[in-house]
Amino acid sequence: MKYDYKYKDLDFISEINSIAIIGASRKRNFFFTKTFHDTFKGQIYAINPGLKSIDELPSVEVYDKLTDVPSSKPIDYAFITVPRHLVPDIISDCVVKGVKMVGIFTADFADEGTNEGKNLQMKILESADKQLRILGPNGMGLYYPKKGIRWRSSLPSDYGNVGVVAQSGGLCNLIIHGLTNENCPISKAFSIGNAIDVNVLDVFHYLLKDPETNIIVAYVEGLPKGIGKTLIDLIKSSQKPILILKAGRTKVGTQAAISHTASLVGNFTIWKSAIKQAGGILLETYNDVISLTKYIRMAGFKKIENACLVSLSGGYGVVCADLLAEYGIKLPRFKVDSVTRNKLSNLFTAKGTSYNNPVDLAVTIYEPEKIGHIFEVILDDGLIDGIIFEIAPLYLTHQMRADINLSEELYNTLKTVKSKCEKPIVVIIQDIGYVDEQLALKRKLQEINIPVYSDILPVTRLLKVLNKSTLDSFLTIESPYNLHK
């Protein structure tokens, strides 16, 4: 498909082998220089007039100006953190040096809302003369953990298959940390701030071709005029899921976005309709982003329109049933004299249990092998798309049987069921304390791609979005390589 819009080339990113920190500052204890030095696998240069060396970083070469770096030493990426009035001249030096891309951390350009700030932003583009790519200003630049490129030492070194683009450095940090913490590490993230050069569309185009990325997550405040249709066409042609958190759903949000990055936010109703028709997924909250990305990363695009809710508490099951119904997820009852019901009746022998839907396990929780058989019977039923399984963590600690490790047995049971059945299993472990037990079981389950949540609400929200999406042709999202540290 041909587009009128000319995408900016970002294919060189995988070949970044050298970085210059322009504005390396002793007053900041060389914060950014040390951050890049800790993990980057290439050569680092520090640029600051009057700075002769950095004693604690002897491998970092120091120069007064970028153009003082010998021609035999190319620089692929520059991270700029200098006062705003210096940025246009710095960009000119980057063009002379042949720098391929810069990330401009400095803010207070058009985002300041003044004519002076807007004029300085225009001077940056004039200085660049379309000779290099710009991330920002008012952004954090590039995060590429596989190469050790990160703007904060606290950012994870794990890397995976989720690509991120965000018009907010702070929210980009949250998304990176949030997804990695849920066993969904990042391939690359772009914090583009005011996006005067590289914009959301350019990053989408790059990530759709990127073999290291299978899922795309975006926080969008606005786009340059005239490229909305191109964005929709690009989403339509995508063979990868695109999840968008869009700012400006209200007048207050629109005004905040304009103040933040001076973005042309656009009409949210039009955005919502267009993205839905194109096959993208529009989300409302940060938690929605984390919840749905995790589900897609671990279960693919397996919809659960007809669920079986398996609970240890009848009351909690009722609460969950109400929410599921409110979000359009059905709980089909097992028909009298059906094969499923007959099989379940032979498995449920203890008093206080129920094998209707919701299923109330009660004390059957202490018979993990039987639970495995129950799950296999349920998932074999043609009416059921998947299981939502609630595990109260107190049962993992205060258990009636001393001869088993219930957490370990449940993990092994679910692992076996998952290996036999293609339908998804979603687990809820309530956040009621017992933190060590919660996290241990959650970590192990998510390592075998069983998504775990702390409440029914994020599950209902993500399933509502997923069930209404048109992306069910994507059945699985496999990582192109193993997770690394």
Side-chain angles (χ1 to χ4, degrees):
M1 182 181 294
K2 293 183 179 179
Y3 303 94
D4 295 329
Y5 180 79
K6 185 173 176 60
Y7 296 108
K8 299 171 185 76
D9 180 24
L10 299 173
D11 291 342
F12 58 83
I13 285 176
S14 61
E15 300 171 1
I16 291 177
N17 295 310
S18 55
I19 295 176
I21 316 304
I22 304 176
S25 171
R26 192 177 299 279
K27 288 182 180 179
R28 292 185 177 180
N29 194 29
F30 303 110
F31 176 83
F32 290 113
T33 309
K34 289 179 177 178
T35 296
F36 284 104
H37 176 269
D38 284 346
T39 52
F40 180 56
K41 299 172 174 62
Q43 179 61 48
I44 294 176
Y45 302 90
I47 311 298
N48 193 335
L51 185 66
K52 301 303 180 184
S53 64
I54 303 176
D55 293 340
E56 56 266 51
L57 302 175
S59 64
V60 174
E61 297 185 25
V62 179
Y63 296 90
D64 285 351
K65 294 182 62 178
L66 190 68
T67 49
D68 291 341
V69 180
S71 58
S72 60
K73 298 180 178 182
I75 294 174
D76 300 317
Y77 177 55
F79 184 85
I80 300 173
T81 172
V82 300
R84 68 174 185 173
H85 68 278
L86 299 177
V87 174
D89 288 341
I90 294 292
I91 294 297
S92 295
D93 287 348
C94 288
V95 171
V96 171
K97 181 59 183 170
V99 175
K100 297 174 183 176
M101 184 170 72
V102 301
I104 305 176
F105 175 67
T106 309
D108 294 332
F109 292 94
D111 50 289
E112 185 185 58
T114 65
N115 288 333
E116 182 182 5
K118 293 175 184 177
N119 290 335
L120 276 171
Q121 186 162 292
M122 288 301 300
K123 286 183 179 179
I124 293 174
L125 286 174
E126 292 168 4
S127 297
D129 193 29
K130 299 182 180 180
Q131 299 302 303
L132 50 70
R133 298 278 65 89
I134 300 172
L135 304 179
N138 187 27
M140 301 303 302
L142 175 67
Y143 169 68
Y144 191 177
K146 185 178 180 181
K147 275 190 166 287
I149 300 174
R150 53 182 184 167
W151 55 72
R152 284 189 177 275
S153 58
S154 61
L155 289 176
S157 56
D158 297 2
Y159 59 89
N161 66 352
V162 181
V164 177
V165 55
Q167 285 183 266
S168 165
L171 189 52
C172 197
N173 284 329
L174 290 178
I175 292 171
I176 291 169
H177 279 288
L179 286 175
T180 304
N181 188 55
E182 295 294 342
N183 205 29
C184 303
I186 310 303
S187 58
K188 302 173 183 72
F190 298 78
S191 170
I192 60 176
N194 296 3
I196 63 172
D197 178 49
V198 174
N199 59 49
V200 170
L201 197 60
D202 299 314
V203 179
F204 278 177
H205 183 254
Y206 168 74
L207 292 175
L208 287 172
K209 300 183 298 176
D210 180 28
E212 296 175 349
T213 300
N214 279 348
I215 305 170
I216 300 171
V217 172
Y219 167 68
V220 181
E221 293 190 353
L223 292 173
K225 275 188 175 181
I227 66 171
K229 184 179 184 303
T230 308
L231 173 66
I232 299 307
D233 289 341
L234 188 62
I235 294 174
K236 282 183 178 178
S237 69
S238 173
Q239 294 300 305
K240 299 177 183 180
I242 298 176
L243 283 61
I244 299 174
L245 178 59
K246 176 67 177 70
R249 292 189 292 121
T250 65
K251 183 177 180 180
V252 173
T254 298
Q255 291 171 342
I258 293 170
S259 298
H260 182 216
T261 58
S263 295
L264 296 170
V265 176
N267 185 297
F268 183 78
T269 302
I270 296 174
W271 267 86
K272 184 175 181 180
S273 175
I275 290 175
K276 181 179 179 181
Q277 290 179 22
I281 296 178
L282 196 62
L283 301 173
E284 294 182 349
T285 72
Y286 161 80
N287 285 334
D288 289 341
V289 170
I290 304 302
S291 297
L292 183 55
T293 303
K294 176 168 69 173
Y295 183 92
I296 294 172
R297 164 71 176 78
M298 296 181 183
F301 276 91
K302 295 175 181 177
K303 298 180 178 182
I304 304 181
E305 296 174 326
N306 298 285
C308 179
L309 175 63
V310 180
S311 176
L312 305 187
S313 164
Y316 188 80
V318 172
V319 171
C320 292
D322 278 337
L323 272 171
L324 288 164
E326 287 175 7
Y327 280 81
I329 298 116
K330 299 185 180 80
L331 295 175
R333 307 283 277 188
F334 300 120
K335 295 179 181 179
V336 177
D337 295 329
S338 66
V339 173
T340 299
R341 192 174 178 89
N342 288 335
K343 288 183 177 179
L344 290 176
S345 68
N346 292 325
L347 292 168
F348 281 82
T349 55
K351 291 183 178 181
T353 59
S354 170
Y355 50 87
N356 292 312
N357 190 7
V359 171
D360 187 353
L361 289 178
V363 295
T364 309
I365 188 64
Y366 296 113
E367 300 180 80
E369 186 176 345
K370 184 179 284 189
I371 291 174
H373 294 314
I374 290 169
F375 275 35
E376 289 175 25
V377 169
I378 292 170
L379 292 174
D380 194 45
D381 191 296
L383 294 176
I384 300 300
D385 300 323
I387 287 176
I388 300 170
F389 180 29
E390 171 262 327
I391 306 172
L394 63 94
Y395 292 100
L396 303 178
T397 303
H398 304 290
Q399 56 188 61
M400 296 171 61
R401 288 182 59 184
D403 60 320
I404 64 170
N405 181 324
L406 184 57
S407 180
E408 188 69 24
E409 293 292 339
L410 285 175
Y411 164 74
N412 289 330
T413 294
L414 293 176
K415 183 178 181 181
T416 300
V417 173
K418 181 175 172 57
S419 69
K420 294 180 179 180
C421 306
E422 293 185 357
K423 294 178 182 178
I425 300 171
V426 177
V427 171
I428 296 171
I429 305 178
Q430 297 101 328
D431 186 9
I432 58 169
Y434 310 98
V435 175
D436 291 343
E437 291 79 8
Q438 280 186 60
L439 294 180
L441 182 55
K442 176 181 177 178
R443 177 183 57 80
K444 293 182 70 173
L445 290 175
Q446 293 196 158
E447 284 177 351
I448 58 172
N449 291 331
I450 294 178
V452 179
Y453 302 88
S454 62
D455 185 46
I456 187 63
L457 184 58
V459 177
T460 57
R461 286 179 65 86
L462 77 86
L463 288 180
K464 180 179 180 179
V465 172
L466 188 69
N467 291 342
K468 289 185 175 182
S469 75
T470 59
L471 294 173
D472 41 340
S473 58
F474 298 101
L475 294 180
T476 57
I477 303 295
E478 297 293 341
S479 176
Y481 41 76
N482 293 328
L483 305 182
H484 294 267
K485 291 187 177 181

